Amino acid sequence: CAPEVSGPCCGNGWCDGAETGANCPADCPEDDASLVLTDLGRSQNSWETRADYTWRPTRGMSGRKLLRCFSVNATESGALAVLGTEWTPQTAPSFCVVYHVERCTYCVPEHATMKSVASHYLLNMDWLRVYNTNPSILNPDVLLSEPNKIFIGPNYVVQPGDSLLEIAAFAKTTLKAILEHNPDITEANTLRAGQEVCLLLCSSAPVRV
């Protein structure tokens, strides 16, 4: 970061702004991304090669707009590889996408359960809070399947005059939890009417083990 920069920037020690593990590995963890070849170019398809690119947001990315850039090159075996995900003085990625990560959602990893999701995302074992937020899941003991997403809480729409402390009080959560699950909001921000805030309801209450 330049000395005069006060907002999000690569090198400030926080994975914020549009940063990901690809465009700012100094601040962000390694990306969970993959590129899978689905159709190899040949005469029947006018030599058009297709592939599916997937990227899974991680904890702390909720509500953010993130920039993903990459280049693709064929390997000797004919497979495709993601290359050039970082800018250098000599090279730059040839394709960029902006992802808008939804608030209060979690991409379910393989073999996940309610308890494992609660342990990873809520940092406790109170899986009932996750279960109560997802009425479409009928059996909490069944393994969740990919690539489904689940909700970790409701999105509250800010009303005129609301403050973070007042929202935390009526939702029975904490200011720390609100800031943690809404990385684009800081204590210094002025909330605006109509803005969405992800809430982990009753997270300030004693944890059920």
Side-chain angles (χ1 to χ4, degrees):
C1 293
E4 66 275 8
V5 175
S6 59
C9 63
C10 188
N12 65 355
W14 296 92
C15 189
D16 53 7
E19 297 168 1
T20 65
N23 60 33
C24 187
D27 292 346
C28 302
E30 183 178 356
D31 288 332
D32 181 0
S34 64
L35 185 75
V36 178
L37 183 67
T38 58
D39 194 8
L40 188 63
R42 55 192 185 280
S43 58
Q44 291 87 340
N45 64 4
S46 301
W47 301 103
E48 184 175 80
T49 295
R50 293 177 177 269
D52 287 338
Y53 178 75
T54 60
W55 169 77
R56 186 194 304 275
T58 57
R59 181 185 175 88
M61 293 181 173
S62 177
R64 292 170 53 197
K65 289 184 179 180
L66 302 173
L67 180 67
R68 286 287 304 161
C69 294
F70 55 90
S71 296
V72 177
N73 195 15
T75 64
E76 293 182 0
S77 63
L80 297 180
V82 177
L83 300 174
T85 54
E86 297 181 49
W87 278 270
T88 70
Q90 293 78 32
T91 61
S94 59
F95 187 77
C96 290
V97 179
V98 175
Y99 288 90
H100 190 176
V101 183
E102 294 181 54
R103 293 185 191 275
C104 272
T105 58
Y106 178 74
C107 294
V108 178
E110 189 177 5
H111 304 309
T113 63
M114 284 289 179
K115 285 188 176 181
S116 67
V117 170
S119 177
H120 174 75
Y121 211 102
L122 306 183
L123 304 182
N124 62 53
M125 294 302 291
D126 194 3
W127 60 269
L128 281 175
R129 292 177 186 162
V130 181
Y131 183 49
N132 290 335
T133 311
N134 294 272
S136 62
I137 299 177
L138 302 179
N139 187 347
D141 296 323
V142 175
L143 288 176
L144 303 174
S145 59
E146 290 190 287
N148 291 341
K149 64 182 179 182
I150 63 173
F151 298 97
I152 60 168
N155 282 311
Y156 171 74
V157 179
V158 175
Q159 303 300 307
D162 278 348
S163 70
L164 288 177
L165 286 175
E166 290 170 338
I167 293 173
F170 77 72
K172 291 183 171 56
T173 185
T174 64
L175 179 60
K176 179 181 178 182
I178 291 179
L179 296 177
E180 186 175 78
H181 295 285
N182 297 272
D184 58 329
I185 298 175
T186 69
E187 290 183 83
N189 286 151
T190 299
L191 294 177
R192 65 182 185 279
Q195 181 178 359
E196 288 190 343
V197 179
C198 174
L199 297 177
L200 272 63
L201 300 178
C202 303
S203 55
S204 62
V207 173
R208 180 192 180 101
V209 179

